[in-house]
Amino acid sequence: PFCIAFFAPCLAPPRGTSPPAPQSVMSLEGQWPSSGGLPEPTGAKRQEWEQHLVALVREKIEAGEADRSAPVDLRIEHFLSEHLAGVRGGAPVTLPKMLSLDRYGMARVLSLPRDADTYESKLIKSFRCQNGVLHNPVNDKRTTAGVFHVAEGAYPIADDKKAVPLAAFSKLLDAALCPQPTDLELPFGIHDPCPKRAWVKVLLRPLVCPEVPGFTSEKRMEVRFMAPGSMVANVDFVESVFGNAGEANLPENDAALDVEHWSGHTGCIILAPQLLTVTKRDLGLPQWDEATDRQRRDGMAWRGEHERYNDGKAFKICVRSSSGVFVTLIADNYFGYCKKEVKTQLSFACNLFGTEEEHAGGALTYASISWGSEFRADHRVSRPNHHYPGRAEAKPYTFSEAMGLLQDEVHMTPEGFAVDREFSSIVYIPEDAVASTATGRVSWKGGEVFLVPGFVYIHPSGYQFSLQKTLNKRGWHICGTVAEPINYHKPATVSGGGKSEVSKLLSDRILFGNIRIDNVKRDLAYVDMILKRDYSDRYEEPRAGELPLLHPQRTLGSIVKLLTPSDEYTAEYNSWLETIPSMIRSLVFLVKSYYRPAWGRDWKSHISVMSVDGRDGDVVYVDGERVVVQYLRVGQESSKGGRPRMFQLRHDFVPAHKIQTEDDISASIIVPRTSLKHLNAEEASNQSLKLAQNCELRLFQRPDDAKVRGADTICEADMAGEGNFMSNFEPLTGHHADQLSKHAVCFDEFTEPMQKRLKTAAADARDKFVVSSAHFRMVEGKPTANPRYLQVRTDFGDPRARRIAKFAACLRRRVPASEHVHFPVNAVLPGRRNNPPDQLADGTPIRPLAVFSPIHYQELPELFMDLVCSVTGRSPSTTGAGSEGALTKGPFNALTFVADLNAALIGFILTGYSGYSSAAGYIGRQRVDHDISLLAPEVWCRMSEEERDPSYLIRTGCLEKVEDMEIAGKKVLASRLGYRITTRFVSRFLGRIFSSPSEVFDAALLRPETQDLAMFVDGVNNLVEAQARVASAYIADGSIQDACPPLQAVLFCMARGCMPDGRTIHSPEIRALFTRESLLSSKWYHERLLAKQRQEVRRLSSGVGALREFLAASKDEAERLGITERLRVAEDQLKVVSSEGFAESLIGTTGTEPTLEPDEGL
């Protein structure tokens, strides 16, 4: 959760186990991956595992469909029968018998013929490939327009959904459960004389609430996913994303008996593409003249008898109840719909339970730095955030203390260092250790150890370093990484806003070049003058006592700041800075980066240039080592087809180390700070904190950059591996791979893993298939814009990194390794997508939205105006009114949006998180793509908690308020943009990354209105008008009445500019609504806590009843499963939550939404 306990090796849903294997394959038990297929076996072990699965599949088919319904199926049947009783005349709903796929991987075996490598139906083309399976649906992409239908009943239906009569849903359900016989044919035996026909189903247990030790257990819902046999590839897809929870018939997998970990919610998803042929008349929908206005608007009426439902286009329809059951029919086989529907049901469960399902990206981001050729523990290691300003830890860290904390997790050596018991490449060293590339050793008083590439050496403070090749692969350096990360959380981010970029590596974007020098003697003399200059006069009031520039305690960052113009300095000093050529400034930073105290004043003799044709060249060397500088692109020049804007990185810059925590579907919970132990004292000062956890095992990635060979190194490494699930790529034969490999110039652009994969395919049988990451599926003569593959989460793929993360934090916080350590969210930066004026393909104009500078801060009222609207200009997911619904999940939300908005706003108020945002796309007319999305985590992880505090940034002039303006007599509400970064911010914080930070974000980027005032004004007006349209819908449909008071204020001021009584968003009493003090003292917040108490009472009462019933009916099984103890625990918990003071114990949490509670008596 980020609780490091989340890094546990068991990666699949922990509740529910697989049944014993048939006797014929029993000998293979215990050797295979968990129910999520992780860790994935490779080589010979994968082949053996696949043979094992084939044996299971054969026996499963021979045994036939299950004769009895599992408890989850009975719950679904019971709900549907009761809920539809009024429109079915009491006729019960009975689900068909199905093959239960109770092992991860069985669905993949079934998805392709056992005697061929290809399968084709009217819906899909599938290929068995050397690097996995490739499934290309008949449609390479889908739109969200008109797709989401909701059956009437239980809760109001949001205005953006299509409302469907319950009787029509009942008939659609009947049709869904009666597919064509050929739709049921399993691909596995498709070439048999009589192919096996069957439904297939899998049990999923998606996460609803992260575990917080000492506060709450992990909670999961149950989802039954069903498909006709020909669509078993969709089952493979969803279990790869969410895991396979095992055989639902087994009592150990019955969620109702797992009271501690079941959220109490049940979902069901049924694939039924045959529904595209159903007519509106057959569903009993009214004739046009007899329909209501909404029925006509939603297409729930017909003019002609043969009109197809939804015009014969793909759709999904759901029915849901306040009891927590949710059933969906999907009239399509598009993989994205399947994942998003699990997300929709999960969001529903989270809203009812009192947690949040978030559309978010995130990563633990660790600041890193190059120490050059020598590491020596100094003040940088003892500071809270190591590399940047902050007090040093008063109590020194010692090796003996570290060993006491790690205990049996390490093995102590006679030489005086320790080795990790799980990974011998993790070495723990004494506090006085020094590392040197020259000696190739890490040494300390009384001992030493080799400095080995690939090993990680951990200081008693948790600080870590390693010997690494420089990014250009031409040399070696010692790279240091801090012990504590920031948990960078990017919620409510619109399409194209940089959600996935948070966890991507910056190293793929870095280019290399030589440092420039024209005349060695003259240029180094200039550098010497700068180094010796007295800088006390740079302020209006001179300051004495500054350290010399080459003093060991003077950081490179301070030199960068010193030589960067700033409004803190005098005009004369800034003028002098402007006279320094950028080449000379770069040489100063070079000298500072490489300087060693042993050089004394004779630093010039260590710097030389290559001699070319008898003259000095421009390739610089330091002590014989060639100096290569790094460059990073930040935007493009504003002219059409403009060149990339490249900027030199600092000589000691190393991209941050990242551990991905979120990508699309997250479950999060807000807890009081007092409920969490062993926090990072320097970073977690908020009174309530958010813990977020990724709900997916694999991520459905769209590797757009992979079309350029070598541009996406991670994608190429992933797809070169085994067992991939891929979609919308071209299947290449071995012959094609051979042709590719012979085109040396193009083939050499691939990274080594993809080259190796294609060469292997070329050498093997020519009729076998392989997928190249750069060869997207061709659709209508063009490469698809929607290539996809399932990527194993990077935090799962590197168990060593997870172990280092935990133990480094334990050492830093002085916590025993046996304890949980939490990494709560401590940086919140949604992403926004900006665009200049544009037009659609049909000529429809698109108004500008590029009014935001690189990074903005907004106070809660303005931030929520933005988040409620989630306005975006160009996006395939836009749902109308300029709003995409990134916070509310828009089309993927079966409830009205107020529940999500209430929870999110209350979470912000309780935690006090500051609402920053980063820009993507354009700033004014300057194109920046995702360059700032990638850069922002690098900046944020190099800032202390105080420096990230907006009050500090405003006080120090690093943020400026955007004020309203009057243009042509009309007020432009630019204050909605909040605050934006200034030249001081750029100088101070980008100077920790770039050599010339002031050049990176110039005035045109920091103040977009200076590029084109008219465009800026239209952009602000566009934003304000879109906010008004979106908020007006909440007033029109009455859902504003369910909004909490601060949200009501936001919505009224968005829609009308003020509250009904005339108060504006700037009124002090309105601003006060957004404070924690106001929230905690309010009656409405206390009602949310009582609603949460009632919800827990209902959940536990139901669980106690289920346990008692099972105990009475199955005494032997009850004894085996420990039901008596489970019942005792559940009864004890029920007493606690029923107590009078329980609601008070929830203060600091979000509670639950009272308007979603079941009616009395349900």
Side-chain angles (χ1 to χ4, degrees):
F2 251 82
C3 191
I4 205 83
F6 174 55
F7 287 145
C10 180
L11 309 179
R15 316 304 162 199
T17 59
S18 297
Q23 288 298 315
S24 59
V25 292
M26 207 45 188
S27 61
L28 296 173
E29 276 304 291
Q31 300 180 29
W32 309 121
S34 67
S35 56
L38 299 170
E40 292 190 342
T42 58
K45 190 169 184 179
R46 170 171 283 278
Q47 293 178 5
E48 191 178 0
W49 177 47
E50 290 172 348
Q51 292 170 4
H52 165 65
L53 289 171
V54 170
L56 284 174
V57 164
R58 288 180 182 276
E59 295 185 14
K60 178 73 70 172
I61 291 175
E62 290 173 5
E65 295 89 333
D67 291 329
R68 62 191 180 92
S69 294
V72 59
D73 301 324
L74 293 174
R75 284 189 280 274
I76 294 166
E77 288 179 343
H78 178 73
F79 160 72
L80 289 170
S81 297
E82 280 204 343
H83 198 74
L84 302 176
V87 296
R88 296 176 68 90
V93 174
T94 303
L95 298 174
K97 295 179 180 180
M98 303 185 186
L99 283 180
S100 176
L101 305 185
D102 50 28
R103 296 294 180 90
Y104 174 80
M106 293 176 69
R108 182 160 301 184
V109 170
L110 286 167
S111 68
L112 283 159
R114 63 170 178 266
D115 52 1
D117 291 332
T118 61
Y119 168 75
E120 183 173 354
S121 73
K122 60 187 177 184
L123 295 174
I124 199 168
K125 290 183 179 179
S126 302
F127 305 85
R128 180 180 288 110
C129 304
Q130 294 189 23
N131 47 343
V133 292
L134 171 64
H135 297 290
N136 289 338
V138 63
N139 295 296
D140 67 318
K141 57 185 176 182
R142 282 298 197 188
T143 179
T144 59
V147 168
F148 303 94
H149 305 191
V150 181
E152 294 168 346
Y155 295 117
I157 298 173
D159 193 60
D160 68 325
K161 308 297 189 301
K162 293 190 175 185
V164 183
L166 200 59
F169 173 85
S170 179
K171 292 181 178 180
L172 284 168
L173 175 64
D174 289 339
L177 296 177
C178 294
Q180 293 295 317
T182 53
D183 291 341
L184 293 169
E185 291 179 351
L186 292 165
F188 182 74
I190 196 65
H191 298 137
D192 293 349
C194 296
K196 175 69 176 179
R197 293 173 176 174
W199 279 87
V200 290
K201 61 183 178 181
V202 68
L203 179 63
L204 313 175
R205 293 294 303 275
L207 181 75
V208 171
C209 176
E211 177 189 15
V212 183
F215 185 78
T216 183
S217 302
E218 174 185 271
K219 301 293 188 297
R220 293 177 179 267
M221 69 179 301
E222 59 180 359
V223 175
R224 178 61 101 179
F225 189 92
M226 307 174 181
S230 65
M231 283 166 265
V232 69
N234 293 75
V235 177
D236 178 18
F237 174 76
V238 295
E239 74 170 5
S240 294
V241 175
F242 297 104
N244 183 318
E247 176 51 66
N249 269 314
L250 294 176
E252 48 262 56
N253 292 335
D254 182 359
L257 301 181
D258 187 13
V259 180
E260 184 178 1
H261 302 105
W262 185 34
S263 66
H265 307 101
T266 298
C268 176
I269 300 171
I270 303 173
L271 296 192
Q274 71 271 20
L275 296 182
L276 299 181
T277 63
V278 175
T279 67
K280 296 179 181 179
R281 185 183 181 190
D282 289 342
L283 295 178
L285 293 175
Q287 199 273 338
W288 187 263
D289 294 337
E290 299 172 355
T292 65
D293 289 343
R294 177 156 188 175
Q295 285 176 327
R296 292 173 183 173
R297 188 205 73 171
D298 291 348
M300 297 298 148
W302 52 273
R303 288 189 176 98
E305 294 183 1
H306 302 294
E307 272 186 53
R308 291 186 177 181
Y309 183 78
N310 204 47
D311 299 324
K313 297 177 182 178
F315 68 92
K316 68 164 194 171
I317 181 170
C318 71
V319 62
R320 69 274 196 271
S321 80
S322 57
S323 62
V325 184
F326 191 122
V327 177
T328 305
L329 315 177
I330 301 179
D332 200 52
N333 71 324
Y334 182 59
F335 295 119
Y337 282 176
C338 298
K339 172 188 161 180
K340 290 296 188 182
E341 191 53 27
V342 177
K343 172 187 173 76
T344 303
Q345 297 194 355
L346 177 58
S347 176
F348 174 80
C350 287
N351 270 315
L352 268 60
F353 186 77
T355 52
E356 285 187 80
E357 184 275 314
E358 298 195 68
H359 185 67
L364 296 183
T365 307
Y366 294 79
S368 298
I369 197 170
S370 172
W371 287 76
S373 61
E374 183 178 283
F375 167 85
R376 186 181 300 273
D378 58 18
H379 58 285
R380 288 174 287 181
V381 173
S382 59
R383 284 174 174 168
N385 60 345
H386 299 297
H387 296 151
Y388 304 106
R391 60 177 178 80
E393 185 68 35
K395 180 182 176 183
Y397 290 94
T398 65
F399 185 67
S400 60
E401 180 190 23
M403 295 302 98
L405 294 172
L406 297 174
Q407 293 286 328
D408 294 337
E409 299 291 350
V410 298
H411 168 68
M412 188 68 191
T413 69
E415 292 83 1
F417 64 95
V419 178
D420 192 271
R421 287 200 179 274
E422 288 195 16
F423 296 95
S424 60
S425 58
I426 303 176
V427 179
Y428 300 87
I429 55 173
E431 64 271 21
D432 60 340
V434 176
S436 169
T437 59
T439 64
R441 286 171 169 77
V442 182
S443 57
W444 56 91
K445 185 177 180 180
E448 63 178 20
V449 65
F450 281 108
L451 180 61
V452 181
F455 278 48
V456 174
Y457 301 85
I458 301 182
H459 185 269
S461 67
Y463 192 88
Q464 55 199 274
F465 64 87
S466 58
L467 178 64
Q468 297 181 9
K469 277 273 193 181
T470 54
L471 290 178
N472 67 341
K473 308 300 182 186
R474 290 185 174 179
W476 294 89
H477 67 151
I478 297 173
C479 177
T481 300
V482 300
E484 293 281 7
I486 62 162
N487 191 343
Y488 192 101
H489 179 59
K490 201 171 191 68
T493 296
V494 299
S495 295
K499 175 172 56 65
S500 296
E501 278 65 30
V502 169
S503 55
K504 289 184 177 178
L505 299 178
L506 195 69
S507 54
D508 284 351
R509 306 298 179 99
I510 293 176
L511 301 178
F512 305 94
N514 295 322
I515 191 167
R516 180 184 163 198
I517 191 166
D518 290 341
N519 182 295
V520 178
K521 187 174 181 180
R522 183 192 65 205
D523 293 345
L524 293 188
Y526 200 155
V527 170
D528 193 42
M529 179 272 291
I530 292 174
L531 294 175
K532 292 177 178 178
R533 187 189 190 279
D534 180 5
Y535 291 91
S536 61
D537 65 341
R538 68 185 186 277
Y539 297 107
E540 291 292 346
E541 296 183 8
R543 302 179 184 180
E546 289 201 36
L547 295 171
L549 270 61
L550 295 181
H551 192 282
Q553 292 193 6
R554 190 77 187 254
T555 65
L556 176 60
S558 72
I559 311 302
V560 172
K561 182 182 178 183
L562 182 74
L563 298 182
T564 301
S566 170
D567 57 8
E568 297 178 85
Y569 302 148
T570 65
E572 293 78 11
Y573 180 73
N574 280 329
S575 296
W576 175 75
L577 289 178
E578 296 291 348
T579 67
I580 303 175
S582 60
M583 173 190 68
I584 298 299
R585 185 184 291 109
S586 182
L587 286 171
V588 172
F589 302 148
L590 168 71
V591 173
K592 177 61 181 175
S593 297
Y594 283 86
Y595 180 79
R596 295 290 175 265
W599 294 2
R601 298 179 180 179
D602 184 27
W603 56 266
K604 295 180 188 176
S605 66
H606 296 267
I607 298 175
S608 60
V609 296
M610 177 187 290
S611 176
V612 180
D613 295 333
R615 298 180 181 180
D616 287 344
D618 59 0
V619 178
V620 179
Y621 290 81
V622 176
D623 285 341
E625 178 186 340
R626 181 177 177 179
V627 176
V628 177
V629 292
Q630 305 175 99
Y631 296 94
L632 182 67
R633 188 191 79 175
V634 183
Q636 300 179 25
E637 293 182 355
S638 55
S639 59
K640 190 172 182 179
R643 298 174 302 175
R645 300 173 69 242
M646 305 301 297
F647 299 95
Q648 183 181 326
L649 296 164
R650 280 175 39 160
H651 292 282
D652 63 351
F653 176 79
V654 174
H657 172 61
K658 296 178 180 178
I659 298 177
Q660 186 180 45
T661 56
E662 304 173 84
D663 183 79
D664 183 23
I665 307 176
S666 300
S668 66
I669 183 172
I670 304 291
V671 299
R673 187 182 193 279
T674 53
S675 298
L676 303 176
K677 297 193 301 182
H678 310 313
L679 292 169
N680 176 8
E682 290 88 6
E683 287 288 345
S685 59
N686 311 66
Q687 294 185 60
S688 289
L689 295 163
K690 173 176 285 189
L691 296 166
Q693 182 170 328
N694 199 329
C695 297
E696 302 170 84
L697 302 178
R698 293 174 179 83
L699 314 172
F700 201 33
Q701 299 288 32
R702 189 182 66 207
D704 300 323
D705 294 341
K707 62 186 175 185
V708 179
R709 298 175 176 93
D712 191 334
T713 59
I714 293 177
C715 172
E716 290 196 13
D718 289 340
M719 292 186 63
E722 300 178 83
N724 286 290
F725 185 105
M726 301 165 287
S727 185
N728 290 333
F729 285 88
E730 281 293 311
L732 305 180
T733 63
H735 175 68
H736 291 137
D738 184 51
Q739 290 181 317
L740 278 175
S741 65
K742 289 177 178 176
H743 195 327
V745 175
C746 293
F747 190 74
D748 190 58
E749 294 173 350
F750 282 115
T751 57
E752 183 179 351
M754 185 53 66
Q755 287 186 28
K756 184 177 179 181
R757 170 56 65 189
L758 294 173
K759 286 179 179 177
T760 300
D764 290 347
R766 295 302 180 92
D767 59 344
K768 299 296 183 181
F769 296 101
V770 69
V771 172
S772 156
S773 55
H775 288 75
F776 298 176
R777 175 186 179 185
M778 299 301 291
V779 179
E780 297 179 351
K782 297 185 297 184
T784 180
N786 193 33
R788 295 280 184 167
Y789 80 103
L790 285 177
Q791 177 194 41
V792 175
R793 275 170 42 191
T794 53
D795 55 325
F796 284 168
D798 191 352
R800 190 184 76 152
R802 304 198 300 266
R803 191 165 173 88
I804 291 171
K806 173 174 181 177
F807 289 168
C810 285
L811 294 178
R812 185 70 197 173
R813 303 177 194 181
R814 295 188 159 101
V815 173
S818 58
E819 295 289 324
H820 293 278
V821 286
H822 299 274
F823 292 97
V825 167
N826 55 3
V828 179
L829 286 92
R832 57 181 82 254
R833 184 76 181 181
N834 304 325
N835 65 272
D838 204 345
Q839 63 180 25
L840 298 175
D842 62 2
T844 304
I846 299 176
R847 293 175 67 187
L849 281 171
V851 296
F852 290 91
S853 74
I855 296 175
H856 272 245
Y857 161 70
Q858 292 166 296
E859 294 177 333
L860 266 183
E862 288 74 25
L863 176 67
F864 259 74
M865 288 182 176
D866 254 5
L867 296 183
V868 168
C869 186
S870 294
V871 67
T872 182
R874 298 204 69 172
S875 168
S877 299
T878 300
T879 58
S883 172
E884 184 180 286
L887 175 61
T888 61
K889 278 83 74 175
F892 308 110
N893 191 340
L895 297 167
T896 55
F897 300 149
V898 166
D900 290 89
L901 294 174
N902 280 341
L905 179 53
I906 292 166
F908 265 99
I909 295 173
L910 287 170
T911 59
Y913 289 142
S914 303
Y916 295 93
S917 61
S918 60
Y922 286 81
I923 296 175
R925 294 189 182 275
Q926 290 229 31
R927 182 175 171 180
V928 295
D929 294 335
H930 281 304
D931 297 346
I932 295 169
S933 306
L934 287 159
L935 182 60
E938 299 284 347
V939 176
W940 238 244
C941 74
R942 290 170 168 83
M943 298 169 69
S944 67
E945 182 184 37
E946 181 188 23
E947 291 171 334
R948 299 194 300 268
D949 186 338
S951 62
Y952 168 87
L953 294 174
I954 294 169
R955 186 175 67 252
T956 57
C958 294
L959 286 175
E960 67 174 7
K961 194 175 192 313
V962 185
E963 301 288 355
D964 292 338
M965 56 180 70
E966 189 169 307
I967 303 293
K970 295 183 178 179
K971 191 173 185 179
V972 180
L973 299 179
S975 62
R976 294 273 178 98
L977 307 182
Y979 295 77
R980 58 191 178 190
I981 60 173
T982 66
T983 55
R984 285 196 181 187
F985 182 99
V986 171
S987 172
R988 184 169 301 182
F989 301 116
L990 267 68
R992 296 172 182 178
I993 296 173
F994 295 98
S995 291
S996 299
S998 60
E999 305 296 327
V1000 180
F1001 293 153
D1002 56 17
L1005 286 173
L1006 294 177
R1007 295 179 174 177
E1009 68 272 21
T1010 62
Q1011 298 181 40
D1012 186 330
L1013 181 59
M1015 187 184 84
F1016 179 83
V1017 169
D1018 190 28
V1020 171
N1021 289 338
N1022 184 20
L1023 175 66
V1024 172
E1025 290 164 20
Q1027 290 177 351
R1029 287 195 300 271
V1030 170
S1032 295
Y1034 291 86
I1035 298 173
D1037 67 11
S1039 60
I1040 194 171
Q1041 300 303 318
D1042 294 332
C1044 62
L1047 180 58
Q1048 284 188 1
V1050 166
L1051 294 173
F1052 274 120
C1053 291
M1054 287 170 67
R1056 300 173 178 174
C1058 64
M1059 297 287 287
D1061 61 7
R1063 291 177 297 172
T1064 71
I1065 202 68
H1066 302 294
S1067 300
E1069 57 270 34
I1070 295 297
R1071 306 299 281 195
L1073 292 174
F1074 296 85
T1075 63
R1076 182 181 170 97
E1077 293 73 24
S1078 172
L1079 173 73
L1080 296 183
S1081 63
S1082 66
K1083 182 179 179 181
W1084 62 267
Y1085 174 68
H1086 187 65
E1087 180 54 38
R1088 289 184 67 92
L1089 304 184
L1090 291 174
K1092 176 61 180 176
Q1093 180 179 27
R1094 293 190 291 269
Q1095 181 258 324
E1096 279 296 285
V1097 169
R1098 288 192 299 272
R1099 185 182 71 84
L1100 288 166
S1101 297
S1102 175
V1104 166
L1107 290 171
R1108 287 174 176 168
E1109 183 179 339
F1110 186 83
L1111 187 61
S1114 309
K1115 291 186 178 180
D1116 291 341
E1117 282 286 86
E1119 184 177 354
R1120 180 177 70 85
L1121 296 172
I1123 297 298
T1124 301
E1125 176 60 17
R1126 291 193 201 183
L1127 177 60
R1128 184 194 64 77
V1129 171
E1131 289 174 337
D1132 289 347
Q1133 290 177 338
L1134 181 58
K1135 290 178 183 177
V1136 171
V1137 302
S1138 301
S1139 64
E1140 188 174 335
F1142 180 72
E1144 295 299 315
S1145 72
L1146 299 175
I1147 291 175
T1149 71
T1150 57
T1152 55
E1153 180 61 46
T1155 61
L1156 299 180
E1157 287 192 278
D1159 295 333
E1160 288 298 324
L1162 291 182

